[in-house]
Amino acid sequence: MYDKFIPTAADYVRFAPEILLTVFGTLIMLIEAGRKEDQRRPYGILSLIALAGAIYLAFPAYNNAGPAFQGMLIVDGFGTFFRVLCYVAAALAVLCSGQYLSREKADSGEYYSLILFSVVGQGVMVTANELLMVFIGLEISSIATYVLAGFLRDDQRNNESALKYFLLGSFATAFLLYGIAWIYGLTGSTDLSLIRAALGSANPPNVILTGTAAALMFVGLAFKVSAFPFQIWTPDVYQGAPAPVSAFMSAGPKAAAFAILVRIFMTAFEPIAARWEPILWVTALATMVVGNFAALAQVNIKRLLAYSSIAHAGYILVAITAQSQIGISAVMFYLAAYTFMNVGAFAAVTHLAGKDEKYVNIEDLAGLGQRQPVTAALLSVFLLSLIGVPLTGGFFGKFYIFKAALDSNLVWLTVLGLLNSAVAAYYYLRVLVVMYMQDASAEVPAPKPVSGGILVALVGSAVATVILGVFPSVILNFAGKSGTLNP
Amino acid sequence: MDVILFLVFSAIAVACALNLVVQRHPISSAISLVGVMASLAILYLLLGGEFIAMAQMIVYAGAIMVLFVFTIMLLNAGAEKRGVKRPWAVYLGIPLLTGLLGIISFLVQGQVQGSPPVILGGFTGGAAGDVGRALFTRYVLPFEVVSVLVLIAILGAMVLARKEIE
């Protein structure tokens, strides 16, 4: 039994980014409470400082890599990568939020606190080495996003989005928790490396029961990454939520959920990989097909991006099905590229939607090429990257995923995946056609010039998308090095 | 004696759970839920989980159920109106559900053979002191991180319940 435990300095260093974010989140709440009516609201700046500080602190944590708090967390290259990715995604969302919130007259500190706390949850998830920490991190991240989805309380679309997300999300988390309980019953542990040891031992627990436990946990995580058949919530929630929140949801929580899906299935459940591989194969294919074909029929651009995010989840599942180190690196690279291009596209939507998000249909973008050449060009970069055109991050992302799949002899999955991405080109190109080849309609007023945070987010994401497309080695080297998950 | 207690309270739990679903008035369902919670607490106690049993009584059967009942009364929810009768839901659903449960129990029964039997009272270490020691040593980080979760819950409730923004 443990008589006493005193955290060492190394424990704190490895957990420092999350501590900093929690402090800033609380600070913003306190400032909001004590603010006079006419004082300015410094929350956006404070959140950016907190996120920048957290990114900065993630590096000393990585240099001190190792388990923290008695194996509750493990700071390794893989965890650090996703940690930083979640912070960056949140920073981009914060950049878009300032103008959006003042436009909707909803600027308040709680919004930023919720984003920061949500990122704390994601940080805990991606570095977790214990199913208990996974669950707590997931709940923190999810509950904060449920609230953020319904932040504009008087908007019906927000209410619908938040309620659907909350009800379905809690149901899915219950599956995850039930699976964890089964695993604890079977192996006597919730520690990922001990579970792996128990499952891989000479006398493993009953494989049917272990498979059931893994399946239950897969349901919970597949919901969070919106994989088929648990993707139904995605379009409704992304469409209804405030645009910068959709940007955040489609990047941060999703990347964290993928990270933990990879970590659990590639470490703890690795000994039974032969059993879950076919399930993952089918899920990956079905997710790609459903996402791409449903996207073809969309008229609302937020819904289109939601279905596109389902399709991209399918591609990432292809890389996980490969079950190799290259596969893990491909997942990491793809999620980084996906974060920039997807958040960038949502940032453009945030700007173009106008007050009360009136103009969110694809046809409202008509004539944007003449009206706002810069915004149109930046949005085109993101859409081209989502298609996977060379010289963008999306191209190399898809390239590495299908290369990993081929290396693992998943020929059919690769062929079907490539056919899918050809289908996907149609609906992204349609947006480009509307932007450049159709005349502006008189009913849609010309959008205001882009400025401030949204401009920074747009340009930043576009630059990052192009850099990943031209010099993929920037991230790939690190991803290749951290693709080994040491249990 | 333990076995008799176990059988009696499991039966009560299952009966209350069924009643919860069958009842039409939300208050009756809520009261049945109290029955489920309380008999579960007894089962935990039989297994040696003293702290969990007490927490189950105080938190679930007590605090949460009071909230349930308050909410039902606040909303003034009347008896549930059954929608369009769907006979196939009854004639097909119930046999299918029974079949599914049967198959699952058969499988589980077949798979867990050979595991050691549960000895009621064989486990000690579920007292408040043991739980507290584990919380502040091995599980100190989850314990601390849960406070962020609670903070978010409060913040979220406040955001969604306030009158207007600005």
Side-chain angles (χ1 to χ4, degrees):
Chain A
M1 204 59 201
Y2 309 91
D3 278 337
K4 65 174 182 184
F5 167 65
I6 297 163
T8 60
D11 285 335
Y12 287 117
V13 169
R14 287 167 194 155
F15 194 54
E18 275 72 40
I19 298 178
L20 182 83
L21 288 171
T22 313
V23 169
F24 268 84
T26 322
L27 190 69
I28 289 176
M29 286 167 65
L30 290 175
I31 295 179
E32 169 79 10
R35 191 180 65 90
K36 301 260 187 338
E37 273 298 310
D38 47 350
Q39 272 169 344
R40 292 190 65 241
R41 301 183 173 86
Y43 312 127
I45 302 289
L46 273 177
S47 317
L48 288 176
I49 294 175
L51 289 162
I55 293 174
Y56 176 76
L57 285 177
F59 291 99
Y62 175 59
N63 292 332
N64 272 302
F69 291 94
Q70 306 185 341
M72 286 289 154
L73 301 177
I74 180 154
V75 177
D76 51 8
F78 182 80
T80 307
F81 182 88
F82 279 105
R83 221 181 200 179
V84 173
L85 189 61
C86 291
Y87 301 156
V88 171
L92 289 173
V94 167
L95 280 171
C96 304
S97 302
Q99 279 165 296
Y100 183 89
L101 290 177
S102 35
R103 191 170 74 201
E104 306 292 340
K105 302 214 180 316
D107 200 358
S108 67
E110 291 87 358
Y111 179 90
Y112 295 97
S113 292
L114 283 169
I115 290 220
L116 290 185
F117 287 136
S118 169
V119 180
V120 170
Q122 288 146 31
V124 167
M125 264 166 88
V126 299
T127 50
N129 190 35
E130 260 270 343
L131 293 176
L132 212 57
M133 291 308 286
V134 172
F135 175 70
I136 296 173
L138 188 75
E139 277 293 83
I140 294 177
S141 159
S142 311
I143 291 180
T145 8
Y146 302 151
V147 180
L148 283 171
F151 194 80
L152 306 177
R153 218 201 47 166
D154 299 327
D155 190 316
Q156 271 191 3
R157 290 169 296 180
N158 272 235
N159 294 345
E160 182 196 338
S161 165
L163 194 66
K164 276 190 179 161
Y165 196 19
F166 170 63
L167 291 177
L168 295 173
S170 331
F171 194 53
T173 324
F175 275 93
L176 178 74
L177 191 59
Y178 194 38
I180 295 176
W182 274 58
I183 276 294
Y184 183 72
L186 287 162
T187 63
S189 176
T190 48
D191 183 298
L192 292 182
S193 24
L194 293 179
I195 294 171
R196 180 201 172 91
L199 295 185
S201 68
N203 188 17
N206 186 299
V207 76
I208 291 185
L209 298 182
T210 321
T212 314
L216 285 168
M217 289 173 66
F218 182 71
V219 170
L221 293 170
F223 176 89
K224 296 291 170 192
V225 302
S226 50
F228 181 83
F230 312 104
Q231 89 294 3
I232 303 168
W233 59 279
T234 318
D236 290 348
V237 171
Y238 285 15
Q239 184 192 8
V245 174
S246 308
F248 178 61
M249 282 194 295
S250 70
K254 200 162 187 174
F258 264 119
I260 203 60
L261 180 74
V262 168
R263 201 192 278 281
I264 292 178
F265 278 81
M266 293 296 285
T267 62
F269 291 146
E270 218 238 323
I272 53 163
R275 298 222 161 220
W276 52 258
E277 201 229 288
I279 298 175
L280 219 55
W281 197 101
V282 173
T283 314
L285 179 63
T287 310
M288 287 190 290
V289 171
V290 167
N292 281 321
F293 281 87
L296 292 176
Q298 299 309 316
V299 287
N300 180 308
I301 186 134
K302 283 168 92 183
R303 265 185 107 76
L304 177 94
L305 287 173
Y307 279 111
S308 116
S309 93
I310 296 173
H312 287 277
Y315 302 134
I316 297 169
L317 286 171
V318 170
I320 302 179
T321 316
Q323 293 182 48
S324 60
Q325 193 188 335
I326 314 174
I328 299 181
S329 314
V331 172
M332 293 164 78
F333 185 88
Y334 199 89
L335 276 167
Y338 167 80
T339 299
F340 289 116
M341 58 201 188
N342 210 49
V343 174
F346 268 115
V349 172
T350 309
H351 171 67
L352 297 170
K355 186 163 163 41
D356 297 330
E357 296 199 13
K358 274 203 196 89
Y359 308 108
V360 281
N361 284 344
I362 296 172
E363 59 196 39
D364 296 336
L365 297 174
L368 193 70
Q370 283 106 46
R371 280 176 162 177
Q372 277 200 0
V374 178
T375 319
L378 291 169
L379 183 54
S380 312
V381 170
F382 303 130
L383 292 173
L384 290 173
S385 180
L386 286 165
I387 299 176
V389 170
L391 291 185
T392 58
F395 169 74
F396 276 108
K398 283 213 179 72
F399 175 77
Y400 292 125
I401 281 184
F402 291 125
K403 183 175 178 304
L406 277 183
D407 284 353
S408 300
N409 286 324
L410 300 169
V411 180
W412 275 107
L413 195 56
T414 312
V415 171
L416 294 168
L418 284 170
L419 287 177
N420 256 289
S421 44
V423 173
Y426 173 77
Y427 56 83
Y428 295 124
L429 285 175
R430 195 165 52 120
V431 180
L432 286 178
V433 168
V434 171
M435 274 200 306
Y436 284 103
M437 309 209 175
Q438 289 185 7
D439 289 328
S441 115
E443 288 162 26
V444 182
K448 294 196 183 83
V450 209
S451 61
I454 296 188
L455 186 65
V456 178
L458 275 174
V459 174
S461 321
V463 168
T465 306
V466 174
I467 288 183
L468 288 180
V470 182
F471 308 110
S473 51
V474 184
I475 285 199
L476 203 67
N477 284 348
F478 186 80
K481 214 167 49 187
S482 339
T484 44
L485 289 168
N486 17 348
Chain B
M1 181 62 190
D2 286 339
V3 177
I4 296 170
L5 282 175
F6 174 79
L7 288 176
V8 168
F9 283 102
S10 335
I12 294 178
V14 173
C16 285
L18 285 176
N19 194 39
L20 190 161
V21 181
V22 174
Q23 284 297 330
R24 288 187 180 202
H25 201 282
I27 289 285
S28 320
S29 290
I31 302 297
S32 314
L33 192 55
V34 178
V36 179
M37 302 286 190
S39 25
L40 277 183
I42 308 276
L43 294 184
Y44 294 152
L45 199 58
L46 285 174
L47 287 168
E50 297 163 31
F51 178 76
I52 291 291
M54 288 305 122
Q56 171 86 8
M57 281 309 277
I58 296 168
V59 178
Y60 282 88
I64 291 183
M65 287 319 303
V66 170
L67 277 182
F68 259 110
V69 175
F70 263 142
T71 316
I72 292 169
M73 294 195 161
L74 203 65
L75 294 175
N76 210 2
E80 169 191 6
K81 285 192 195 73
R82 292 283 150 96
V84 191
K85 280 271 184 209
R86 289 198 188 86
W88 54 267
V90 178
Y91 296 122
L92 207 63
I94 293 176
L96 277 180
L97 182 72
T98 322
L100 180 72
L101 288 177
I103 292 171
I104 291 179
S105 3
F106 177 74
L107 269 181
V108 170
Q109 182 69 28
Q111 297 299 332
V112 294
Q113 266 171 12
S115 352
V118 175
I119 302 161
L120 294 175
F123 171 74
T124 54
D130 303 298
V131 175
R133 200 166 295 118
L135 270 188
F136 282 96
T137 54
R138 174 97 178 89
Y139 295 102
V140 68
L141 186 66
F143 178 69
E144 293 296 339
V145 174
V146 162
S147 52
V148 177
L149 185 59
V150 176
L151 190 60
I152 277 199
I154 299 171
L155 195 59
M158 211 183 72
V159 166
L160 295 178
R162 70 181 152 188
K163 275 224 170 66
E164 62 200 45
I165 315 173
E166 198 76 355

